């Protein structure tokens, strides 16, 4: 179960008009932090992200399951159930034995899946699957929803990195 603080941050993102995937990003970040702190591991970076997305769906983020052909049938079904729980259409029974078993399995998985290197590799792989137009549109939307303060900070950071590259 995600911490209340994470749910609060996701709701704040929703109020600010950010997309459901950005709201879900709070849960993914929390999952990455859990792995980095050593609470458990993950088989791959994609699994860590999937766990975060599932938690987001269960917490009520409006993130529909992936379309047919994008992922395995089992993944889609799992995402559908998590989404229904979050939307209040399904009330799952608690299964302590299953929860314990999953946690014990995750504890044996590597922690390196949440390293900067593996996250960077995953991000590049995901971005390469998208078209240049889609990436550009996402960047434009990000600049619209960022807010004046954050936009100013981003511009200052960009200016710093530009001057460093020249010398």
């Amino acid at each position: 179960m995600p911490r209340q603080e994470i749910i609060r941050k996701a709701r704040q993102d929703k109020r600010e008009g950010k997309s459901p995937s950005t709201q879900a990003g709070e849960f993914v970040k929390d999952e990455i932090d859990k792995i980095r702190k050593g609470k458990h591991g993950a088989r791959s970076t994609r699994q860590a992200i999937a766990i975060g997305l599932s938690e987001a769906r269960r917490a009520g983020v409006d993130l529909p399951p992936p379309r047919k052909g994008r992922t395995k049938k089992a993944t889609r079904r799992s995402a559908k159930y998590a989404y229904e729980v979050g939307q209040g259409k399904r009330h799952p029974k608690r299964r302590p034995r299953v929860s314990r078993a999953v946690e014990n399995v995750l504890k044996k998985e590597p922690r390196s899946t949440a390293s900067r290197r593996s996250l960077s590799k995953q991000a590049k792989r995901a971005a390469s699957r998208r078209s240049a137009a889609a990436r550009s549109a996402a960047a434009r939307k990000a600049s619209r929803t960022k807010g004046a303060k954050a936009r100013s900070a981003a511009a200052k950071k960009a200016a710093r990195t530009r001057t460093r590259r020249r010398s």
Side-chain angles (χ1 to χ4, degrees), residues 25 27 34 62-63 79 89 96 115 138 144:
F27 294 89
K34 277 182 193 169
D62 191 21
L63 193 71
K89 291 185 174 82
S115 68
R144 279 201 309 274

Side-chain angles (χ1 to χ4, degrees), residues 76-113:
R76 279 201 319 277
R77 192 188 310 124
S78 172
K80 179 179 169 239
Y81 290 165
Y83 182 68
E84 286 172 358
V85 168
Q87 301 303 310
K89 291 185 174 82
R90 175 182 285 268
H91 296 284
K93 282 204 238 22
R94 289 186 175 208
R95 302 193 306 175
R97 268 177 62 190
V98 174
S99 295
R100 236 185 347 265
V102 167
E103 204 165 318
N104 287 335
V105 167
L106 284 175
K107 277 181 178 171
K108 291 173 188 154
E109 297 295 347
R111 310 305 195 246
S112 60
T113 50

Side-chain angles (χ1 to χ4, degrees), residues 6 22-23 28 30 32 39 68-69 72 124 129 146:
I6 304 303
T22 305
Q23 296 164 41
V28 174
D30 187 48
I32 298 296
K39 287 184 180 160
K68 196 173 178 181
K72 289 188 298 185
K124 282 175 187 163
R129 273 190 240 116
K146 211 174 192 102

Side-chain angles (χ1 to χ4, degrees):
M1 191 67 211
R3 299 193 318 262
Q4 286 304 310
E5 180 191 350
I6 304 303
I7 295 169
R8 188 181 49 75
K9 281 182 182 176
R11 287 190 181 141
Q12 173 75 26
D13 286 347
K14 187 177 183 178
R15 279 197 302 274
E16 288 172 5
K18 292 179 181 172
S19 69
S21 60
T22 305
Q23 296 164 41
E26 296 291 348
F27 294 89
V28 174
K29 185 183 180 301
D30 187 48
E31 195 56 37
I32 298 296
D33 287 343
K34 277 182 193 169
I35 294 171
R36 282 181 174 165
K37 283 177 185 162
K39 287 184 180 160
H40 62 77
R43 178 71 49 93
S44 65
T45 309
R46 287 179 74 175
Q47 186 190 32
I49 293 166
I51 293 168
L53 291 177
S54 178
E55 282 193 354
R57 286 188 179 105
R58 291 174 72 91
V61 172
D62 191 21
L63 193 71
R67 292 188 302 277
K68 196 173 178 181
R70 300 281 298 275
T71 52
K72 289 188 298 185
K73 190 178 179 181
T75 308
R76 279 201 319 277
R77 192 188 310 124
S78 172
K80 179 179 169 239
Y81 290 165
Y83 182 68
E84 286 172 358
V85 168
Q87 301 303 310
K89 291 185 174 82
R90 175 182 285 268
H91 296 284
K93 282 204 238 22
R94 289 186 175 208
R95 302 193 306 175
R97 268 177 62 190
V98 174
S99 295
R100 236 185 347 265
V102 167
E103 204 165 318
N104 287 335
V105 167
L106 284 175
K107 277 181 178 171
K108 291 173 188 154
E109 297 295 347
R111 310 305 195 246
S112 60
T113 50
S115 68
R116 286 175 76 94
R117 189 177 172 189
S118 58
L119 283 168
S120 167
K121 208 165 150 187
Q122 166 59 29
K124 282 175 187 163
R125 199 180 301 133
S128 72
R129 273 190 240 116
R130 299 173 69 186
S131 67
R135 293 198 304 268
S136 177
R140 267 199 305 278
K141 184 176 182 189
S143 70
R144 279 201 309 274
T145 59
K146 211 174 192 102
K149 202 173 179 182
R151 202 169 25 251
S152 169
K156 283 176 187 165
K157 184 179 179 184
R160 272 201 311 274
T161 56
R162 259 197 297 278
T163 55
R164 212 177 288 147
R165 250 187 239 134
R166 281 198 191 116
S167 55

